[in-house]
Amino acid sequence: DAAAGEGPAMRKTHRKKLPAPKLSAMIPFALGCAAPIPILMAAMDKVPGEGRPPKTPVLYEFNVLFKLCGALFPVILLVLRMLIKKVFGATSPRAASDLFSLSTCVVVSVMRVVMYHITLLLKDADEEKRDVMSDHVFLAMSIVCLARFELYCCLETLESNKLLALPALLALVLIVLMHCNNYITTRYFHTSEESVMSLVCGGLLFEIPGSIFFYLTRRR
């Protein structure tokens, strides 16, 4: 019997070789895994009675914009990417549809608003009116989640339109700035408990589901 006589080396050649993981999925996946690092580092670096941080160039101006319109940052990335696709064209059979992208943005935004109102109710129920978590860190984690998704969509269609490198770069810069801002917020403006609670809630609602998505699509 020829089949029975096949050796281990012959059987290995019959196995289907898995495609290499895609950078378009692994880069956003790695950026999400890095989310806890600045928060936990800041919690460890916190000094009791420490004053406000120095006004670091770029980060200070970014924080001002973040307070004014931070929730719109992912929307700007989404609109820019869709505009480039509409005007100059871009296709990819594996990229998420625009409807899926819009739905993701809406779902994340709704989850953020609902969770925020839940924390307000918990704060009102507390006799000492203490914050349950850091609203800025929680908002930042939702922004990072959506920015990672936009980065993924841009990288998936980058071969068909190099102009998508612009929103991809903006998404990457936004993620890095959000991580830096989380460090400053955690260290200087909130208790470690509040920031860690934001990390847990943001991780469960945004970062972990997003990372699972990128992990599952890494070989498609």
Side-chain angles (χ1 to χ4, degrees):
D1 188 0
E6 287 183 351
M10 182 68 71
R11 285 196 295 270
K12 286 182 180 179
T13 60
H14 293 170
R15 296 176 184 172
K16 185 178 180 181
K17 187 176 180 181
L18 292 174
K22 301 181 302 179
L23 287 178
S24 59
M26 295 312 296
I27 292 176
F29 176 81
L31 291 170
C33 292
I37 296 176
I39 299 172
L40 296 177
M41 285 181 60
M44 291 186 294
D45 293 342
K46 184 183 290 290
V47 177
E50 191 172 24
R52 300 176 71 87
K55 293 183 179 181
T56 307
V58 179
L59 287 179
Y60 176 78
E61 287 78 11
F62 174 76
N63 186 56
V64 173
L65 288 175
F66 172 63
K67 291 179 179 179
L68 290 175
C69 56
L72 295 178
F73 289 167
V75 179
I76 295 172
L77 292 175
L78 173 62
V79 171
L80 178 60
R81 178 174 61 83
M82 293 177 63
L83 185 63
I84 292 176
K85 286 179 59 179
K86 183 70 175 179
V87 175
F88 301 100
T91 57
S92 173
R94 299 172 303 188
S97 66
D98 291 340
L99 179 59
F100 184 78
S101 300
L102 285 169
S103 301
T104 301
C105 188
V106 171
V107 169
V108 170
S109 300
V110 170
M111 290 170 62
R112 182 180 67 236
V113 172
V114 170
M115 190 64 191
Y116 177 69
H117 281 85
I118 290 176
T119 61
L120 290 180
L121 293 175
L122 293 174
K123 181 178 179 180
D124 290 339
D126 183 44
E127 293 181 357
E128 299 181 11
K129 305 299 180 183
R130 293 171 297 185
D131 290 326
V132 178
M133 65 180 184
S134 167
D135 54 342
H136 283 86
V137 172
F138 186 70
L139 171 60
M141 294 193 71
S142 70
I143 291 173
V144 168
C145 172
L146 292 173
R148 287 199 297 154
F149 185 74
E150 282 304 308
L151 177 60
Y152 164 77
C153 292
C154 290
L155 294 178
E156 277 287 280
T157 51
L158 186 60
E159 289 186 5
S160 63
N161 192 332
K162 301 301 181 184
L163 289 176
L164 288 170
L166 175 59
L169 179 60
L170 291 176
L172 181 60
V173 171
L174 176 60
I175 294 170
V176 173
L177 289 174
M178 285 279 71
H179 286 336
C180 294
N181 195 69
N182 275 347
Y183 176 89
I184 296 175
T185 301
T186 300
R187 179 169 178 177
Y188 296 99
F189 296 103
H190 284 275
T191 65
S192 298
E193 291 77 12
E194 292 167 0
S195 298
V196 171
M197 180 58 70
S198 298
L199 173 61
V200 172
C201 294
L204 292 175
L205 290 176
F206 309 129
E207 300 304 332
I208 292 178
S211 294
I212 292 174
F213 170 82
F214 295 127
Y215 182 81
L216 293 178
T217 59
R218 72 194 190 284
R219 296 187 188 276
R220 290 182 184 177

